[in-house]
Amino acid sequence: MDLRCVWMLCMLCLVITVQAFTQEGFKEAFLKQLGLSEIPKLHKRDLADLVIPDHVKNKYISMLKRQRVKRRALPSLAGILRGIPGNAGEVLYSDTATRQNLIFDMEGRIPKNSEVTMAELKLFKKPLDRANLPARQSHRPVSNARVSVYWVQRQHDGTNRTSLIDSRLVPIRESGWKNFDVTQAVHYWLRNKRREPMFLEVWIEGERVGSYASEMAKAVRFTSQDPKDKALGKPELVLYTLNLEDYEGPGDCREEAMLGKSTCCRQEHYISFRELSWARYWIIEPAGYQAYRCSGGCLQPPSPLWHFGYGERTCAVAESSSLPMMYLVKRGNRTEIEAAEFPNMIVERCSCVTDG
């Protein structure tokens, strides 16, 4: 794709951003960027046996981490949540993976008029029990296990929908605390909470495909929330927040924006892919995101300047950033997963722009 096409696509996405993401315009931007003429005909059954390849998962996580580096600094520690003991900490085993469920009571834990800038899940890896290791075979050595953290959204119909939050390789023979960035999960919870705790799921899988890597991964054990688990170091959720009274993001709207009395500023505008019928099965990750939009009025130039080509000043996007996404593509009878960054999807700064 030549530079002219890339520029046109970026400008198209920026136009959609300015227009506050109408459903049709939003859809058209995605189709244009992917070079498609229509929405792929995807159904829930297309997701049933779909496995995210490691190289796609790693690419997506890498893009997420690059994006998180830009997060604002100067956070203060809001609290360390110890989790809810009881049946929520069960560990489930299967042929290919170990799943550990975690639950944290979030209600009232985040200070008012503050923003969660970072959240870390801390898991304590127990010392290796060599009795759990499979017998040595003539296989390529396996040193790590793949540990992934998912946010679990409880649906109204009783089913669960998961969203990948962080993933990394953990050395099988090492013990101690392992940290995972779950900021995105907390942001999801803040958006979707229905006076319920936050549910996370930890998956422990082989670092590569094959039964030997899967068996080696089963030797990885993290302390659970179950009170019967007497090991030291229960799972912890560490929250860092920013006091918006002391430090507010540049150009972010205050309450006056809701009343239409503010000057040009950046206003929160959340887009849920799960609630968009055309995106529900097409976009795998993220579940949704804070897109923001520009709102408010601008001071107008003196009337004499209008005769010299100056037009009305309007509040518009001055700076934007990309959004990492995983989505499905149809190639004949095959359904595959790809990861890419879509430019100009998140409004970073708003400014008054003069027409002409």
Side-chain angles (χ1 to χ4, degrees):
M1 184 180 294
D2 60 29
L3 290 177
R4 177 180 172 81
C5 290
V6 173
W7 179 84
M8 289 177 66
L9 289 173
C10 291
M11 289 306 296
L12 174 65
C13 288
L14 185 58
V15 167
I16 299 303
T17 304
V18 175
Q19 293 176 346
F21 299 100
T22 63
Q23 278 209 36
E24 283 304 311
F26 199 42
K27 182 168 61 176
E28 290 302 316
F30 277 107
L31 289 172
K32 290 280 186 182
Q33 179 135 353
L34 295 173
L36 301 175
S37 59
E38 61 181 8
I39 299 291
K41 292 180 172 59
L42 297 166
H43 306 280
K44 193 173 184 179
R45 61 177 178 270
D46 292 316
L47 302 176
D49 300 315
L50 205 62
V51 176
I52 302 175
D54 281 344
H55 72 278
V56 176
K57 183 186 294 185
N58 292 340
K59 181 181 178 181
Y60 177 70
I61 291 295
S62 176
M63 290 187 294
L64 276 182
K65 288 181 176 177
R66 282 202 306 272
Q67 185 191 54
R68 289 168 183 168
V69 169
K70 302 174 184 177
R71 191 179 301 128
R72 290 182 296 185
L74 305 177
S76 59
L77 183 64
I80 300 177
L81 309 189
R82 306 293 182 186
I84 301 176
N87 296 328
E90 71 266 25
V91 180
L92 309 174
Y93 299 94
S94 68
D95 292 338
T96 58
T98 301
R99 297 188 185 184
Q100 183 170 339
N101 295 324
L102 302 174
I103 179 170
F104 293 93
D105 181 12
M106 303 283 287
E107 198 67 35
R109 305 288 184 147
I110 300 174
K112 291 183 179 180
N113 199 30
S114 66
E115 176 187 329
V116 176
T117 58
M118 187 167 63
E120 287 184 323
L121 175 65
K122 298 182 65 176
L123 300 175
F124 187 81
K125 185 180 177 299
K126 298 178 182 181
L128 179 66
D129 182 355
R130 296 187 178 278
N132 291 328
L133 290 175
R136 294 181 65 88
Q137 302 179 27
S138 56
H139 289 281
R140 191 155 50 105
V142 173
S143 304
N144 304 295
R146 165 71 60 182
V147 180
S148 303
V149 180
Y150 293 81
W151 172 65
V152 181
Q153 183 181 14
R154 302 288 177 94
Q155 307 286 337
H156 291 291
D157 61 3
T159 60
N160 292 337
R161 186 71 185 264
T162 61
S163 296
L164 177 64
I165 300 300
D166 200 3
S167 181
R168 54 175 290 201
L169 292 175
V170 171
I172 294 173
R173 290 175 171 79
E174 290 183 7
S175 63
W177 289 102
K178 306 298 177 184
N179 297 347
F180 298 86
D181 187 337
V182 294
T183 310
Q184 192 176 18
V186 175
H187 288 170
Y188 285 160
W189 179 86
L190 286 168
R191 173 67 188 176
N192 294 277
K193 66 176 181 177
R194 295 188 293 269
R195 293 190 175 275
E196 64 179 17
M198 188 174 77
F199 299 94
L200 298 175
E201 198 167 76
V202 179
W203 290 28
I204 306 171
E205 305 167 281
E207 68 172 322
R208 60 173 183 264
V209 177
S211 58
Y212 182 61
S214 296
E215 289 299 315
M216 287 291 290
K218 290 179 183 178
V220 173
R221 298 283 191 272
F222 292 109
T223 304
S224 72
Q225 292 177 341
D226 193 334
K228 298 176 183 177
D229 189 344
K230 301 300 182 182
L232 298 175
K234 297 293 184 184
E236 296 179 351
L237 182 64
V238 184
L239 301 177
Y240 296 88
T241 61
L242 205 62
N243 187 337
L244 297 182
E245 289 290 340
D246 299 332
Y247 179 84
E248 186 166 359
D252 283 357
C253 297
R254 294 181 180 271
E255 292 182 3
E256 307 89 72
M258 305 302 178
L259 303 175
K261 298 178 180 179
S262 72
T263 55
C264 182
C265 59
R266 189 180 73 155
Q267 186 177 1
E268 289 189 355
H269 179 62
Y270 188 86
I271 293 176
S272 172
F273 293 131
R274 301 292 185 255
E275 295 174 5
L276 295 176
S277 58
W278 59 269
R280 189 172 300 139
Y281 305 124
W282 186 14
I283 299 173
I284 305 298
E285 303 287 352
Y289 77 107
Q290 187 64 255
Y292 297 100
R293 62 184 171 193
C294 295
S295 176
C298 298
L299 290 174
Q300 299 303 318
S303 54
L305 291 180
W306 287 64
H307 298 291
F308 295 95
Y310 285 87
E312 182 182 4
R313 298 178 76 229
T314 57
C315 185
V317 178
E319 184 180 337
S320 62
S321 61
S322 60
L323 176 70
M325 296 175 61
M326 278 198 295
Y327 52 91
L328 293 179
V329 290
K330 279 273 196 179
R331 291 192 171 91
N333 295 325
R334 292 183 299 133
T335 303
E336 298 179 357
I337 300 177
E338 292 186 353
E341 284 186 300
F342 285 70
N344 300 315
M345 299 301 289
I346 303 171
V347 176
E348 296 291 348
R349 187 168 61 86
C350 299
S351 181
C352 289
V353 178
T354 301
D355 183 17

